[in-house]
Amino acid sequence: MSRYRISGKGRVDHAAPVSFTFDGKTYRGLRGDTVASALLANGVHLMGRSFKYHRPRGAVTAGSEEPNALIGTSRGPGRFEPNTRATVQELRAGLVTESQNKWPSLSFDLGAVNDRAYMLFSAGFYYKTFMWPKSFWDKVYEPVIRGAAGLGRSPTEPDPDHYASRYLHTDVLIVGAGPAGIAAALAAAQSGADVTLVDENPEMGGSLLSDPGVAIDGRPAWDWIDAQLGRLRAAGVRLMTRTTAIGYYHQNMVGLCQRLTDHLDSPPKGAPRERMWRVRASQVVLAQGALEKPLVFDGNDRPGVMLAGAAQTYLHKYGVRVGDAPAVVTSHDSAWYAAFDLADSGAKVAAIIDTRATVRPDLLDAARQRGIEVLAGHTVTTTTGRLRVKSLRAAAVRGGTVSGGRTIPCDCLLMCGGWTPSLHLFSHTKGSLAWDADGGTFLPDRKTEAVEIAGAGRGLWGYDPVLADGAAAGLRALQGLGRAGHPAAFRVANDRPGTGTSHTELPTDGNPGKARAFVDFQNDVTAKDIRLAVREGMRSIEHVKRYTTNGMATDQGKMSNINGLMIAADALGKQPPQVGLTTFRPPYTPTSFGAFCGYLRGETFQLTRKTPIDPWAEANGAVFEPVAQWRRAWYFPKAGEDMHTAVLRECKATRASLGIFDASTLGKIEVAGPDAVEFMNRMYTNPWTKLQPGRCRYGLLLGEDGFIRDDGVIGRLSPDLFHVTTTTGGAARVLTMMEDYLQTEWPDLDVWLTSTTEQWATVALNGPNVLAMLKPLVQDVDWDDFPHMSCAECTVAGLPARLFRLSFTGEIGFEVNVPARHGLTLWETLMEAGKPFDICPYGTETMHVLRAEKGYIIVGQDTDGTVTPQDAGLDWAIGKAKKDFVGKRSLSRPDIVAKGRKQLVGLLTEDGSLLQEGAQIVLDPDQPKPMRMVGHVTSSYPSTMGHPIAMAVIEGGFDRMGETVFIPMPDGVRRARITSTVFYDPDNARLKA
Amino acid sequence: MLLIHCPYCDDTLPELEFAYAGEAHIARPADPSALTDEEWRDFLFIRTNARGPHYERWRHIGCGRLFNALRDTVSDRFLTTYKAGEARRPLTNEAAE
């Protein structure tokens, strides 16, 4: 039996010991313990070091709001998790845990030197200390700050666990299964409504689990809970434990994170670790209770100083006495009951110090009966104890003056500064809060969703009003569904009602400038820091928060927000509601990335689109590259070839004889209907009226702003049918844009648009021998009338096909489209037929080189959304006689016709080196920095001509032909000559063969 | 996540199925060439940027149709949705609040 465990007490299983390690030392706890309760049972309060000052810290709470007791937990490689709250992590056999923010050890930490130097680390110290000298920032300050910052250490391996996600639609979702939540569920479960009750803890019951002396309807609290949960189960209510409502989104969507295996000794193989639920509820009841507030006084952060309610929870839920000689300091009645329960369990309560001068007589009587000294109207001015609190100094407060201090020895100090309704989720909905001056807290006010707030979350206290309120809220939710139910009433015996008052820092007779009175424990923000921030000009609570980091720790201000606000308001001389509260944002508690990702990781993160010919490419050793969502063959290396060698071989084979390329990813849109030609005239820059069926044309698509959006070859198959191709990445965008104009601007046009990208497999054939190879395979084409830029519906290799004669390489070229299911057959047939011509399969890299040699642009690479047709040298594609098309008006805007626009040109380096795509270009390399950049390299490749080629956009480039420009790179300045973008066969002689 | 009513499908569906498509009721001029540079600039770039009820276009990815919506940019609530080409819906009492 551990020293501080009370035999037979609590909800832990005393017959089931569980071993675990903390910082390498083995401890014993019980089944049902958390790491914190098990350590406390062994007398260990010191569980971590604080973030900034490395001060020794222990658990302050017994729940998910814990700011101090953050530990690393491990279940083997890849299963290390930092910053787990020891107050939440359930014990499991073989659990390995470690403390954080310490070196070399938790009890002796060199980083604690920060604590002695605390005067240097006041609010905003980042902004003040590291300003000068400027040169120190990169080399000294940032590395040191980066080294010291961060909480815990990140795991380095991929997470081997998997995570699930589910959707749920329910009539009533109740968050929090304390007394109010259970009462609400009982009410809502009438009349057959679908009800879901969730709680973040392993067990339902909430505060009643820490108050077993209360009796409801004649039953002890714990029996009552069991009976009600049984009733709910029988009524078909979905009960979910270890399930945190992390966020409350629009229209009653609530995100739930359910932890499934972290508490198990050995999780079932393949079981998901966590499951994210996206719940859509018709009605939501928030019964999240209230969070206890610390009091702010010098030394309130020593290990052994904790919330009174937490001590009560450790006692009743876990059978752990947090100390033998606890002292209590409080401004609320609730802590008195904690003192009584500890005294009744055998602790010697050193004193109850209440900041209020007047205390309820029945509490005074109960203290007297137990022989507990009471100091009403007193304050705590300081504490002692390095790794554990040893004593406190209590002093009387009269008329605002502190006097007569006296030291009281204790081994723990239980504090209570009142209770803050937990309204985080409610605030996610932008529900407004109203300041309750009596309670010194914010309460829910105007609602934006179909939501009820019940119980302590509404500022109620005591089980009688809370149960009644929960039942009423559940009934209202039921009525909100249009269903009827009966009101319920509960009889509560041994209730524990209470009220309290709120404070800023507790009054002291010490020097407030030296007080280490913590408001935010994890981020080491003191009351002094907040007052300093106000003195230095912070007026908004949002500024105070960011300047001091108050409320920015992983508990997201659950401990610190209200205390920080009270102090800031006091310093500003304003009422708290005038200062306001910082914004609550999801998630309610830290949530793993895995839970958010769910199934969407690895292969399922994003789909990979594959063409019908992809299996052939894979079997033949293609190296792939992603293009939009497609996986495309990049190049086909032969044994021993690197990329450069393979690509040049593919380029040369294509120019010399015959190359074959899978172009199936090209976007394809069928534009059909009587008004198809009118629609094309309006959408594309080019004229389409005179394009005869059986001919195709390069089409250029602009945005209404005149900038190039997409391009592609478009064939007119019949008077009312166009086969439009788009860039691989632009297919969906272009169709959407076309649909937009058709539906909303020109609904009178009789046109249908159909995406056919995936219906056609497309094989491109290029090279001087293409006709010799292809002709025998083609039927129904009149070769005497099938020049460059022709198209036909015909038969290729016995397959129904759409044949295009066009070129993206500068060689004679064809694109054969066949229904996708025949794509692989077509490819294999063409490969066979091409053998006599040494047919060479090539990938996207060779396609890029060949097109660049010809100066054919790639939209999105050589254009970037600020390039007009004129800028790209594509004026010829504009139908000048057309009155209008999308973007036409913009081509005459003043900025578009102005001189000095960046224009697309070719670049040849003088030393024959390869430029880097994206490299910036200057006119004078000797000018002082920062240099004036006049453009950048858009495309750069080795070529078949023995020297690299590049394209670039350069200010006034067309007027600078033959001039030299400079490209400064880390290893020296490159010189390059501006040329035409057409490097190869400028007269198109090869196309006319 | 919002639930949005598609007036074509007549169904209320999750936001994931929809895409925002800019401010509504800005018709493309019948003859852009007749516009001054300033008028064309206004058509291209100048938007209401309303704080509160805002007329805007959405596209239902599922059915591919564009429709109009009145959405409060403060509360992010859809006040109503209606088909493209229909007249601007009046501000309801709820919207005027």
Side-chain angles (χ1 to χ4, degrees):
Chain A
M1 178 64 62
S2 307
R3 165 78 173 73
Y4 292 89
R5 185 83 67 180
I6 302 161
S7 179
K9 201 168 170 72
R11 300 181 67 82
V12 287
D13 185 350
H14 289 261
V18 179
S19 286
F20 69 105
T21 68
F22 177 63
D23 281 344
K25 192 175 168 194
T26 301
Y27 292 92
R28 255 180 139 195
L30 298 176
R31 179 76 54 203
D33 261 330
T34 61
V35 172
S37 69
L39 286 173
L40 290 170
N42 286 281
V44 177
H45 274 259
L46 175 63
M47 295 186 199
R49 290 264 174 180
S50 67
F51 181 54
K52 193 159 84 174
Y53 298 129
H54 287 231
R55 283 170 69 95
R57 293 283 166 80
V60 193
T61 74
S64 65
E65 68 272 31
E66 175 60 32
N68 278 347
L70 303 185
I71 55 171
T73 64
S74 178
R75 206 204 282 269
R79 293 193 165 92
F80 175 83
E81 185 180 79
N83 300 324
T84 304
R85 288 141 295 159
T87 52
V88 170
Q89 175 64 52
E90 294 171 61
L91 227 51
R92 60 175 187 242
L95 175 66
V96 176
T97 67
E98 64 176 43
S99 61
Q100 302 186 157
N101 288 349
K102 54 29 154 114
W103 189 83
S105 76
L106 186 55
S107 55
F108 177 73
D109 170 46
L110 285 177
V113 67
N114 285 4
D115 193 31
R116 301 282 158 80
Y118 69 94
M119 288 302 195
L120 293 179
F121 293 98
S122 59
F125 76 98
Y126 276 105
Y127 311 109
K128 296 168 186 164
T129 314
F130 302 116
M131 291 297 288
W132 46 260
K134 201 179 160 194
S135 60
F136 268 39
W137 180 252
D138 285 348
K139 300 274 182 325
V140 182
Y141 295 143
E142 191 176 341
V144 169
I145 293 171
R146 292 245 175 269
L151 217 50
R153 59 181 172 94
S154 298
T156 51
E157 308 89 345
D159 186 345
D161 285 314
H162 74 272
Y163 298 80
S165 50
R166 289 274 296 272
Y167 285 90
L168 176 69
H169 293 261
T170 189
D171 291 333
V172 184
L173 172 68
I174 298 158
V175 179
I182 291 174
L186 289 168
Q190 306 176 70
S191 317
D194 183 272
V195 178
T196 305
L197 175 63
V198 303
D199 196 284
E200 62 173 346
N201 295 294
E203 280 193 294
M204 295 196 162
S207 57
L208 281 172
L209 298 176
S210 307
D211 263 331
V214 172
I216 305 168
D217 293 341
R219 287 175 171 180
W222 291 1
D223 292 350
W224 182 83
I225 295 170
D226 288 344
Q228 307 319 308
L229 295 180
R231 278 177 64 193
L232 292 175
R233 240 174 248 120
V237 173
R238 207 175 282 104
L239 302 176
M240 296 165 67
T241 55
R242 298 186 180 91
T243 303
T244 306
I246 58 164
Y248 193 152
Y249 309 94
H250 282 295
Q251 289 165 295
N252 269 359
M253 177 174 242
V254 179
L256 306 177
C257 182
Q258 184 179 28
R259 295 173 301 282
L260 299 164
T261 60
D262 271 6
H263 62 289
L264 300 176
D265 292 346
S266 45
K269 220 171 170 47
R273 179 175 176 233
E274 294 174 353
R275 182 181 291 127
M276 186 71 86
W277 293 82
R278 290 168 178 85
V279 182
R280 188 76 70 174
S282 304
Q283 299 281 325
V284 171
V285 178
L286 297 177
Q288 296 175 278
L291 295 169
E292 197 171 10
K293 253 185 318 181
L295 286 166
V296 182
F297 53 91
D298 181 49
N300 65 342
D301 66 324
R302 297 186 195 280
V305 182
M306 67 164 58
L307 293 169
Q312 191 178 328
T313 294
Y314 286 118
L315 179 67
H316 291 299
K317 250 170 108 169
Y318 304 103
V320 173
R321 198 161 48 226
V322 295
D324 293 328
V328 174
V329 56
T330 184
S331 66
H332 193 278
D333 297 339
S334 65
W336 289 70
Y337 294 108
F340 300 157
D341 289 356
L342 276 160
D344 295 346
S345 80
K348 174 85 187 85
V349 176
I352 298 176
I353 299 146
D354 200 311
T355 62
R356 300 168 297 177
T358 318
V359 180
R360 247 166 51 202
D362 61 310
L363 295 176
L364 292 171
D365 282 347
R368 195 174 307 120
Q369 282 165 21
R370 291 171 173 87
I372 302 173
E373 182 183 8
V374 171
L375 298 170
H378 275 59
T379 180
V380 172
T381 60
T382 190
T383 64
T384 66
R386 194 171 76 86
L387 300 178
R388 171 96 181 247
V389 67
K390 277 187 189 147
S391 74
L392 61 88
R393 185 171 170 278
V397 185
R398 290 213 173 70
T401 311
V402 177
S403 61
R406 151 183 164 219
T407 298
I408 300 173
C410 60
D411 65 355
C412 59
L413 173 54
L414 313 181
M415 57 182 169
C416 175
W419 296 79
T420 305
S422 183
L423 292 169
H424 304 69
L425 287 183
F426 177 69
S427 297
H428 294 173
T429 68
K430 301 266 180 221
S432 66
L433 302 177
W435 178 250
D436 172 39
D438 291 341
T441 192
F442 284 101
L443 296 178
D445 191 20
R446 197 177 47 78
K447 300 187 286 192
T448 64
E449 298 282 353
V451 60
E452 303 289 340
I453 300 100
R458 227 157 60 69
L460 300 176
W461 200 253
Y463 291 103
D464 190 38
V466 160
L467 283 164
D469 196 50
L475 192 58
R476 282 196 302 278
L478 193 61
Q479 289 158 349
L481 299 171
R483 295 171 189 246
H486 303 289
F490 302 92
R491 276 182 301 111
V492 179
N494 308 327
D495 200 357
R496 293 180 151 185
T499 58
T501 182
S502 267
H503 290 282
T504 60
E505 313 93 309
L506 291 188
T508 180
D509 54 359
N511 177 355
K514 293 222 165 135
R516 315 298 299 282
F518 286 89
V519 179
D520 186 317
F521 291 91
Q522 195 180 106
N523 275 0
D524 279 336
V525 180
T526 63
K528 194 188 71 157
D529 291 327
I530 293 173
R531 290 190 184 276
L532 180 67
V534 170
R535 264 206 313 284
E536 294 189 347
M538 306 302 146
R539 291 293 174 268
S540 150
I541 194 68
E542 298 283 1
H543 289 159
V544 171
K545 167 179 168 175
R546 280 153 188 81
Y547 198 58
T548 61
T549 72
N550 191 60
M552 289 167 72
T554 57
D555 71 316
Q556 293 189 72
K558 291 189 183 70
M559 293 285 94
S560 58
N561 266 354
I562 298 293
N563 279 335
L565 170 63
M566 296 296 283
I567 294 167
D570 183 58
L572 286 162
K574 289 182 177 173
Q575 287 302 305
Q578 293 173 282
V579 180
L581 207 54
T582 54
T583 310
F584 295 98
R585 292 191 178 85
Y588 176 69
T589 52
T591 307
S592 69
F593 285 112
F596 285 110
C597 293
Y599 304 114
L600 305 178
R601 58 186 286 188
E603 280 190 352
T604 49
F605 176 67
Q606 192 181 39
L607 79 148
T608 301
R609 300 171 79 181
K610 295 178 184 171
T611 75
I613 297 152
D614 180 271
W616 187 94
E618 183 164 311
N620 285 272
V623 176
F624 292 96
E625 71 163 339
V627 180
Q629 288 177 327
W630 292 95
R631 151 175 130 143
R632 300 194 72 179
W634 196 8
Y635 56 99
F636 292 85
K638 295 193 167 173
E641 277 186 337
D642 62 6
M643 176 171 170
H644 180 79
T645 321
V647 169
L648 274 186
R649 174 183 50 74
E650 291 172 12
C651 288
K652 285 177 177 161
T654 304
R655 293 240 184 271
S657 178
L658 184 57
I660 182 168
F661 174 68
D662 178 8
S664 302
T665 66
L666 274 183
K668 302 167 205 82
I669 299 167
E670 201 148 290
V671 178
D675 294 325
V677 69
E678 174 63 18
F679 180 75
M680 289 301 295
N681 275 332
R682 294 186 192 184
M683 289 303 302
Y684 279 79
T685 61
N686 321 66
W688 301 96
T689 310
K690 290 181 183 162
L691 183 73
Q692 294 301 309
R695 295 288 184 260
C696 45
R697 178 167 284 172
Y698 172 79
L700 191 61
L701 182 71
L702 309 183
E704 205 68 90
D705 52 16
F707 298 125
I708 295 172
R709 289 292 196 281
D710 203 81
D711 67 353
V713 170
I714 295 163
R716 189 172 192 179
L717 293 165
S718 64
D720 57 1
L721 179 61
F722 289 83
H723 178 112
V724 174
T725 65
T726 74
T727 58
T728 293
R733 216 164 36 232
V734 172
L735 180 65
T736 299
M737 180 174 165
M738 287 182 171
E739 280 287 352
D740 192 341
Y741 278 91
L742 183 60
Q743 288 179 32
T744 67
E745 300 294 352
W746 311 315
D748 51 310
L749 291 187
D750 208 355
V751 175
W752 289 269
L753 305 170
T754 309
S755 164
T756 54
T757 302
E758 296 197 346
Q759 277 62 43
W760 295 106
T762 308
V763 178
L765 293 161
N766 284 274
N769 286 322
V770 63
L771 277 166
M773 177 270 207
L774 189 61
K775 268 186 181 175
L777 296 174
V778 179
Q779 289 170 291
D780 310 326
V781 165
D782 176 5
W783 288 104
D784 293 333
D785 184 26
F786 205 72
H788 184 57
M789 299 309 267
S790 297
C791 59
E793 294 193 277
C794 60
T795 304
V796 178
L799 303 167
R802 283 184 181 175
L803 182 65
F804 285 71
R805 181 169 179 177
L806 55 84
S807 177
F808 199 45
T809 60
E811 305 300 328
I812 297 175
F814 289 87
E815 281 178 7
V816 188
N817 296 275
V818 295
R821 64 184 183 282
H822 300 310
L824 192 53
T825 307
L826 174 72
W827 180 273
E828 286 169 343
T829 307
L830 294 173
M831 282 301 295
E832 190 61 32
K835 268 186 183 163
F837 306 97
D838 296 324
I839 190 166
C840 175
Y842 66 89
T844 50
E845 189 65 15
T846 290
M847 178 268 284
H848 274 253
V849 173
L850 296 178
R851 67 90 197 172
E853 288 182 350
K854 285 293 290 181
Y856 297 145
I857 65 160
I858 292 206
V859 171
Q861 175 164 343
D862 302 299
T863 71
D864 62 0
T866 66
V867 176
T868 65
Q870 296 101 315
D871 298 339
L874 295 171
D875 314 49
W876 57 267
I878 293 175
K880 308 234 169 20
K882 288 204 292 181
K883 192 169 163 17
D884 190 19
F885 56 80
V886 172
K888 178 176 168 58
R889 176 65 185 82
S890 288
L891 297 181
S892 56
R893 292 186 64 233
D895 283 349
I896 302 296
V897 298
K899 284 243 174 277
R901 288 191 61 82
K902 288 180 182 171
Q903 293 162 332
L904 189 70
V905 294
L907 278 187
L908 290 173
T909 51
E910 292 190 355
D911 62 355
S913 64
L914 185 68
L915 292 172
Q916 239 179 58
E917 288 175 356
Q920 293 293 321
I921 297 164
V922 301
L923 296 178
D924 171 13
D926 300 320
Q927 63 184 303
K929 291 176 192 170
M931 296 189 188
R932 208 178 92 73
M933 296 171 284
V934 296
H936 68 274
V937 178
T938 61
S939 287
S940 176
Y941 305 96
S943 77
T944 57
M945 289 161 292
H947 57 79
I949 55 169
M951 288 198 263
V953 285
I954 295 179
E955 283 178 17
F958 296 159
D959 294 332
R960 295 183 189 276
M961 284 297 151
E963 288 182 22
T964 300
V965 291
F966 301 87
I967 301 101
M969 296 300 290
D971 60 349
V973 176
R974 303 278 200 294
R975 297 163 63 92
R977 189 165 45 86
I978 298 180
T979 69
S980 152
T981 53
V982 187
F983 300 94
Y984 180 81
D985 186 24
D987 302 324
N988 291 334
R990 299 181 70 84
L991 290 178
K992 292 163 190 150
Chain B
M1 184 160 48
L2 295 167
L3 294 171
I4 301 173
H5 183 256
C6 171
Y8 293 97
C9 299
D10 193 16
D11 204 354
T12 302
L13 297 158
E15 187 183 343
L16 279 176
E17 292 196 25
F18 297 84
Y20 179 68
E23 186 168 350
H25 301 297
I26 300 175
R28 187 174 191 271
D31 181 8
S33 66
L35 267 57
T36 64
D37 285 337
E38 287 69 30
E39 287 166 339
W40 184 248
R41 173 203 63 197
D42 290 355
F43 163 71
L44 283 182
F45 303 122
I46 305 303
R47 295 294 179 267
T48 309
N49 196 22
R51 186 180 196 277
H54 183 231
Y55 291 94
E56 56 197 24
R57 306 181 326 135
W58 284 74
R59 181 167 56 92
H60 182 202
I61 299 162
C63 72
R65 302 300 294 267
L66 284 123
F67 59 89
N68 295 323
L70 183 58
R71 184 180 61 99
D72 189 315
T73 59
V74 176
S75 67
D76 205 12
R77 239 158 240 284
F78 276 78
L79 306 172
T80 184
T81 59
Y82 52 101
K83 292 177 181 177
E86 290 182 3
R88 191 185 286 259
R89 287 283 162 89
L91 288 178
T92 59
N93 286 337
E94 191 193 353
E97 262 176 26

